[in-house]
Amino acid sequence: QLTLHQNTPNPFNPSTTIRFSVTQASPIRLSVYNTAGQFVRTLVDGTVEAGTHKAVWDGRDSAGRNVSSGVYLYRLSSTEETLVRKMLLVR
């Protein structure tokens, strides 16, 4: 089972921390998307141990470019479940 916490701080500039928990070791992907559903960046992609974890997003896309101010979605997926939350980047 997954738990996805609200990012802190939110709104943020220049970076934010996303915390999530898993009840057992499992493959996890944590990715950021814009509100149009376009992929921005993957923050975690691999097997994580049971427990609470965190990832930091620095407001950059997968090519290292700063993204614009706005609402972004972060999506946590396992083989069994997907959770999504919103965050606000203010430049």
Side-chain angles (χ1 to χ4, degrees):
Q1 182 179 1
L2 299 177
T3 303
L4 182 59
H5 302 280
Q6 187 63 52
N7 64 301
T8 55
N10 188 37
F12 69 96
N13 179 13
S15 66
T16 188
T17 300
I18 300 167
R19 288 182 173 77
F20 63 94
S21 302
V22 296
T23 55
Q24 62 187 27
S26 57
I28 293 294
R29 175 173 284 166
L30 176 62
S31 297
V32 177
Y33 296 83
N34 64 24
T35 53
Q38 297 167 313
F39 170 79
V40 175
R41 186 168 175 191
T42 296
L43 304 177
V44 177
D45 188 11
T47 300
V48 298
E49 297 300 316
T52 301
H53 304 271
K54 67 180 181 178
V56 175
W57 184 43
D58 60 3
R60 296 176 185 269
D61 65 14
S62 56
R65 298 175 297 233
N66 283 329
V67 298
S68 60
S69 295
V71 175
Y72 290 86
L73 306 174
Y74 54 103
R75 183 173 77 179
L76 180 67
S77 300
S78 70
T79 54
E80 301 171 0
E81 193 174 1
T82 298
L83 302 172
V84 178
R85 289 189 179 265
K86 293 179 181 178
M87 59 184 161
L88 177 61
L89 170 59
V90 179
R91 294 229 184 256

